[in-house]
Amino acid sequence: MKIICIGRNYAQHAAELKNEVPSEPVVFLKPDTALLKDRDFYIPTFSKDIHHELELVIRISKNGKFIEEKFASKYYQEIGLGIDFTARDVQEECKKKGLPWEKAKAFDNSAPLGSFIPVDELKDRNNIRFTLLKNGQVQQEGDSSLMLFPFEKIISYVSRYFTLKTGDLIFTGTPAGVSAVNQGDVLEGLLEGKKLLEIKIR
């Protein structure tokens, strides 16, 4: 099982981090040890600036390679929510040195995953609203219609480089509103108003 992540897929989020808007998907990976389900998130000792990034997640339902965009919708049947936790201070140091920043993104438990719902239950997969509540207050709001690269384009693009296998997860990018987390915070992820994810920060 691979965790494939798409960076800078919302223009406003790219702007808030002062990054250029990409002309093609920005891809990075997390190992399976990054996955966190049904447990609290403990702030790692190596960072003093962990940020949450709520994302729509698609789960690949069959193997594929060099998938044409027009057929990509046949390769996933469920959509859920996940958080891409980022050690922002570590990431900035890596960026300054021109180094890869996996240690800021791919550390243990950095990919909490919530529940999934069948795509067929959604009115329009290209217009999915999702929200992150931080201690009960809206912190992030997103809509799949605002993605620079929609699901089908992401699947087609990624499959040029990596064979997609059943069970692989694709985190599709985060909207604006990312912020640091602190011990005691509670994060809740809602998809079309339905809570699919809850994480307590320790």
Side-chain angles (χ1 to χ4, degrees):
M1 186 273 292
K2 299 186 291 297
I3 303 172
I4 301 163
C5 302
I6 306 300
R8 306 177 190 175
N9 201 20
Y10 290 81
Q12 288 186 339
H13 173 60
E16 75 177 342
L17 296 185
K18 298 179 174 59
N19 291 321
E20 292 183 7
V21 175
S23 58
E24 61 183 33
V26 175
V27 180
F28 62 95
L29 303 179
K30 291 182 184 245
D32 58 3
T33 50
L35 200 62
L36 178 67
K37 287 201 72 175
D38 304 320
R39 288 189 289 132
D40 297 343
F41 174 78
Y42 287 80
I43 295 174
T45 57
F46 58 77
S47 175
K48 298 184 183 304
D49 194 23
I50 298 289
H51 284 209
H52 60 75
E53 299 186 4
L54 183 70
E55 312 198 6
L56 293 170
V57 180
I58 51 180
R59 181 154 52 197
I60 297 300
S61 57
K62 63 178 182 177
N63 296 358
K65 177 71 173 174
F66 295 116
I67 300 166
E68 292 186 49
E69 196 172 326
K70 63 183 178 181
F71 299 127
S73 63
K74 300 180 183 297
Y75 285 80
Y76 68 101
Q77 298 175 348
E78 297 175 299
I79 294 179
L81 290 175
I83 292 177
D84 168 21
F85 276 125
T86 303
R88 196 70 71 198
D89 47 357
V90 176
Q91 185 184 41
E92 290 304 316
E93 282 300 311
C94 291
K95 283 182 176 180
K96 287 177 184 176
K97 297 175 182 178
L99 299 173
W101 29 264
E102 273 78 4
K103 64 184 182 181
K105 285 278 193 180
F107 56 88
D108 289 355
N109 301 324
S110 62
L113 186 66
S115 303
F116 285 81
I117 62 174
V119 172
D120 293 343
E121 291 185 7
L122 297 167
K123 293 180 180 179
D124 182 1
R125 71 181 71 187
N126 296 312
N127 189 20
I128 304 170
R129 295 177 296 108
F130 61 107
T131 306
L132 182 130
L133 303 180
K134 181 178 178 182
N135 302 326
Q137 302 297 315
V138 173
Q139 181 66 41
Q140 286 187 276
E141 290 186 291
D143 192 307
S144 61
S145 66
L146 300 176
M147 291 195 300
L148 299 174
F149 308 104
F151 301 136
E152 287 72 25
K153 185 174 289 293
I154 290 170
I155 288 172
S156 179
Y157 182 86
V158 168
S159 73
R160 296 183 207 169
Y161 303 95
F162 313 112
T163 297
L164 293 176
K165 293 189 174 183
T166 301
D168 284 350
L169 302 171
I170 302 181
F171 281 59
T172 61
T174 195
V178 302
S179 68
V181 297
N182 296 291
Q183 290 182 346
D185 286 345
V186 177
L187 306 179
E188 298 171 272
L190 287 71
L191 192 154
E192 293 291 349
K194 181 178 181 180
K195 185 163 76 171
L196 300 184
L197 175 67
E198 181 172 332
I199 297 290
K200 295 179 182 178
I201 309 299
R202 302 297 188 188

